[in-house]
Amino acid sequence: MTGSAATAAPADALPVFGRIGADAGREAVLAHLAEAARAVRRRDIQMVHEAGQGHIGGEFSVTDILVTLYMHVLNVAPERPDDPERDRLILSKGHAAAALYTVLAARGFIGVDELRSFVQPLSRLNGHPARTKIDAVEASTGPLGHGLPIAVGTAVAAQLDGSPRRTFVVLGDGELQEGSNWEALMTAGHRRLDHLVAVVDRNRLQQGARVAQTNDLEPLADKARAFGWDVVEVDGHDHGALIDAFAAVPAASGRPTFVIAHTDKGYPVSYMRDQVSWHHKVPTAEHVQTALDELETS
Amino acid sequence: MITAPVSAERPLHDCRDAWAATLVDLARHDPRIVAVVNDSVGSSKLVGFQDEFPERLINVGIAEQDMVGVGAGLANGGKIPFVSAAACFLTARALEQIKVDAAYSQYNIKLIGQSPGMAYGELGPTHHSIEDLAWLRAIPGLTVVVPADPRETEQAIRWAAAHTGPVFVRVSRMPVPDVMPAGYEFEPGRAVLLRDGTDVTIAATGTVVSRAVEAAELAAAEGISVRLLAVPTIKPFDTEAIVRAARETRGIVTMEEATVVGGLGGAVAETVVRHQPAPVRTLGVPDEFAPTGSASWLLDHYGVSASGALEACRELLGRA
């Protein structure tokens, strides 16, 4: 199967991508990730349109982060979901569930056909991910500010075991207004959890307004450094930059790594990009077609 | 004034000693056992654990949401975390983490609510944990255990360690006598018949079981035959034992070191209304913030005492 489906492809057309290792060469890795990200966004927006629910803006901002992790960085595989030595990924911004499900389907953790059941009665694919329903979901999330403390716990467990396994936690930026994150940031810095990576999907928007207008996070990098973390700032839509940031873990400094991934809500779709209104607005058929067209050339 | 002192002639125990000794013993045999605390090493009596297993005691400081989340993550990493903190802070401050990270995610995490009820009576209602049973009983997939004495505390902790899934255990600091019989084996969802009787039933949980024992003795002296049920798990709940009591005696008195809203009394009332309507009297803290006073004084003040239970039994039998 290839990912070059035409825009008129049926809604459930999504190729299953394998994990691509660094040995394939950087060019091949980047081409693989670009194709996977395009396919995921294409399927995601159709899924949200059909379900009439979702958080498409934040799903599109986090897609490149999730694709880079699942398709290249993480030591995880559908054949061994319970491997104790697997890397952990916790999606703390659980409202981007549709993006996670689509990536999991594209990586073979859940069936592509099952995506059609998103938020339908009795579906495993809740509006927010549930650990008890899907093996690959490490923690049930949805209420904000839960993922980072859990990630600290998985990292402490790895530290106690002397294991090289890594923990990645993906957070929204608005989510950082929750105080529990700062408790966990302090704990991670104090315990020098160098195998822990927090990735902030820094799209600058939250549900009701811009983060800066609501309760500003800046200077975010300085705050994270002050809490004992190494800070890396990258373009969160640049797969190569994300790969390089993640490859530097564990950091030589012995500190946890705080990746500020600068993204745009709705990326790369013109009418959604950087628009507060696209937090959980549902795309119409026309919106979907425009997005599919734009994704072909992105 | 303290009325009806609890079995003054019998030695009294702080259940935290049984909890701490049991955890150390478990940890010696199972490297997966870890403790997570919120600056609560001393109040959880975990100094010995810390001395023996310094790496396995994770103290996150005064940060309860972080504490429960970290516990969930440790469980994800294959550990068996015992998250131990004052029940008032553990359950109120981290309630959403208990709901989502422990119960909804079904992590193998153990939540130990120290010094629950009104153990910190003198410190005031901020430090009372009388709502915890109602809150936690409403959460699916969480076992809620309220041991009555050191023997039951030890058994509950051992059971929790062996069981896969989230468990909350209340560990009392208020001194209590031994009440569970020798050879007793804790079983979740099973009420324990401490004394059979035909007139009226007293169902009690946790620290006040000893007060219920005394009440049954006082009642017997005036010719009232009391069936006494100790209820160590509020969830799962022994519906059958309560239905039988409702059918075979003339009413049920509940006793708990908790608010009368939604805890053991609530569970008993819901059960009889659904299955076997019967008169119920619920003894606990009424719907108000309790005044200051020792736990023992407060329990007496609210009639969660031998004399208070006797009075409620008389009332149910029309002998008031």
Side-chain angles (χ1 to χ4, degrees):
Chain A
M1 268 180 135
T2 72
S4 57
T7 53
D12 55 355
L14 176 71
V16 175
F17 293 78
R19 177 179 182 276
I20 187 165
D23 51 347
R26 191 168 176 96
E27 206 174 318
V29 169
L30 295 179
H32 185 88
L33 297 181
E35 192 57 32
R38 188 176 297 118
V40 164
R41 285 192 173 93
R42 205 156 45 208
R43 182 67 189 93
D44 186 3
I45 193 167
Q46 293 177 84
M47 189 163 86
V48 170
H49 166 68
E50 281 161 19
Q53 284 188 44
H55 293 81
I56 193 69
E59 287 159 23
F60 275 21
S61 68
V62 82
T63 295
D64 294 300
I65 295 164
L66 293 178
V67 164
T68 302
L69 286 167
Y70 274 105
M71 304 294 175
H72 177 65
V73 175
L74 295 178
N75 171 28
V76 294
E79 310 80 58
R80 46 179 180 88
D82 297 327
D83 180 356
E85 287 305 318
R86 71 191 184 278
D87 288 332
R88 286 358 185 229
L89 184 141
I90 294 161
L91 180 66
S92 193
K93 50 172 289 183
H95 55 285
L100 177 67
Y101 298 148
T102 312
V103 173
L104 290 177
R107 181 73 176 79
F109 282 96
I110 59 177
V112 169
D113 289 348
E114 192 173 359
L115 294 178
R116 278 180 283 181
S117 76
F118 176 58
V119 301
Q120 298 308 304
L122 303 179
S123 171
R124 296 197 302 164
L125 308 185
N126 295 15
H128 295 90
R131 172 181 182 261
T132 53
K133 299 179 183 177
I134 300 167
D135 284 344
V137 171
E138 296 284 356
S140 303
T141 53
L144 299 172
H146 283 244
L148 191 50
I150 296 171
V152 168
T154 66
V156 171
Q159 192 181 52
L160 287 171
D161 290 346
S163 163
R165 64 182 186 261
R166 297 165 298 171
T167 297
F168 296 84
V169 54
V170 178
L171 303 111
D173 53 357
E175 174 175 12
L176 287 171
Q177 291 159 351
E178 288 281 6
S180 51
N181 290 309
W182 300 93
E183 295 180 0
L185 283 165
M186 196 156 49
T187 305
H190 175 77
R191 303 187 76 89
R192 299 180 72 81
L193 299 175
D194 58 357
H195 285 62
L196 173 63
V197 186
V199 188
V200 178
D201 177 10
R202 184 77 170 111
N203 63 30
R204 306 175 305 284
L205 307 181
Q206 55 192 97
Q207 177 174 291
R210 304 191 76 81
V211 175
Q213 293 167 338
T214 308
N215 194 357
D216 198 6
L217 295 174
E218 293 300 336
L220 181 56
D222 290 344
K223 284 175 181 164
R225 272 187 214 103
F227 276 67
W229 291 60
D230 282 349
V231 177
V232 186
E233 300 206 45
V234 296
D235 176 344
H237 300 303
D238 180 339
H239 302 136
L242 288 166
I243 290 170
D244 294 342
F246 300 147
V249 176
S253 65
R255 298 190 190 97
T257 299
F258 194 82
V259 176
I260 301 176
H262 293 282
T263 59
D264 281 343
K265 209 158 192 167
Y267 179 91
V269 177
S270 55
Y271 61 83
M272 269 196 263
R273 200 165 171 174
D274 200 34
Q275 296 296 313
V276 170
S277 61
W278 279 96
H279 180 75
H280 54 214
K281 191 162 151 182
V282 176
T284 63
E286 196 183 344
H287 283 132
V288 171
Q289 193 53 55
T290 306
L292 295 178
D293 292 343
E294 291 187 16
L295 284 167
E296 280 310 299
T297 55
S298 67
Chain B
M1 185 184 131
I2 296 173
T3 56
V6 178
S7 303
E9 75 280 6
R10 285 189 280 175
L12 301 178
H13 312 280
D14 181 336
C15 291
R16 293 178 301 166
D17 293 322
W19 131 261
T22 305
L23 191 72
V24 168
D25 186 54
L26 286 167
R28 284 176 186 156
H29 297 97
D30 189 339
R32 298 173 300 168
I33 303 267
V34 296
V36 189
V37 297
N38 62 339
D39 193 23
S40 47
V41 177
S43 58
S44 291
K45 297 225 173 197
L46 288 176
V47 173
F49 184 99
Q50 186 176 41
D51 288 347
E52 194 166 337
F53 308 105
E55 301 296 319
R56 289 158 65 183
L57 184 125
I58 293 104
N59 189 347
V60 301
I62 307 160
E64 290 75 25
Q65 299 179 77
D66 188 30
M67 173 178 67
V68 175
V70 166
L74 283 159
N76 175 297
K79 306 300 174 191
I80 303 176
F82 280 76
V83 176
S84 176
C88 56
F89 308 131
L90 169 64
T91 62
R93 195 60 165 265
L95 188 58
E96 190 179 80
Q97 278 73 18
I98 294 174
K99 170 189 164 187
V100 178
D101 304 351
Y104 184 46
S105 272
Q106 278 295 295
Y107 276 127
N108 189 25
I109 181 174
K110 318 304 164 186
L111 304 160
I112 310 302
Q114 300 284 350
S115 306
M118 296 178 292
Y120 291 125
E122 295 89 342
L123 302 186
T126 54
H127 286 56
H128 298 169
S129 186
I130 59 173
E131 308 88 352
D132 52 353
L133 301 184
W135 290 338
L136 301 186
R137 192 169 79 79
I139 298 176
L142 180 67
T143 300
V144 180
V145 190
V146 190
D149 69 1
R151 179 177 286 126
E152 191 162 60
T153 301
E154 174 180 349
Q155 296 223 2
I157 297 301
R158 288 192 185 283
W159 177 84
H163 170 76
T164 302
V167 180
F168 173 80
V169 185
R170 255 189 170 200
V171 173
S172 168
R173 115 176 1 223
M174 187 179 80
V176 288
D178 293 310
V179 289
M180 303 311 283
Y184 164 69
E185 280 185 31
F186 168 79
E187 192 186 313
R190 186 170 67 95
V192 184
L193 184 68
L194 290 183
R195 179 184 184 123
D196 207 356
T198 52
D199 290 330
V200 64
T201 299
I202 299 177
T205 192
T207 52
V208 297
V209 170
S210 63
R211 290 168 174 247
V213 170
E214 258 187 83
E217 285 163 8
L218 292 178
E222 54 183 77
I224 299 174
S225 167
V226 168
R227 176 179 299 186
L228 179 55
L229 290 173
V231 185
T233 50
I234 303 300
K235 186 174 199 142
F237 194 62
D238 193 342
T239 302
E240 200 191 319
I242 296 301
V243 170
R244 217 167 32 240
R247 195 166 50 230
E248 295 169 1
T249 68
R250 289 162 62 191
I252 301 173
V253 176
T254 64
M255 298 176 74
E256 60 198 304
E257 192 184 346
T259 169
V260 294
V261 180
L264 172 66
V268 167
E270 288 166 20
T271 300
V272 301
V273 165
R274 283 186 191 133
H275 301 284
Q276 184 76 37
V280 173
R281 295 289 179 275
T282 55
L283 302 180
V285 180
D287 189 16
E288 67 182 35
F289 289 112
T292 187
S294 70
S296 173
W297 184 89
L298 284 162
L299 288 169
D300 290 341
H301 175 72
Y302 285 125
V304 194
S305 57
S307 56
L310 175 62
E311 188 58 37
C313 289
R314 287 189 193 130
E315 205 184 297
L316 283 177
L317 297 171
R319 300 190 194 179

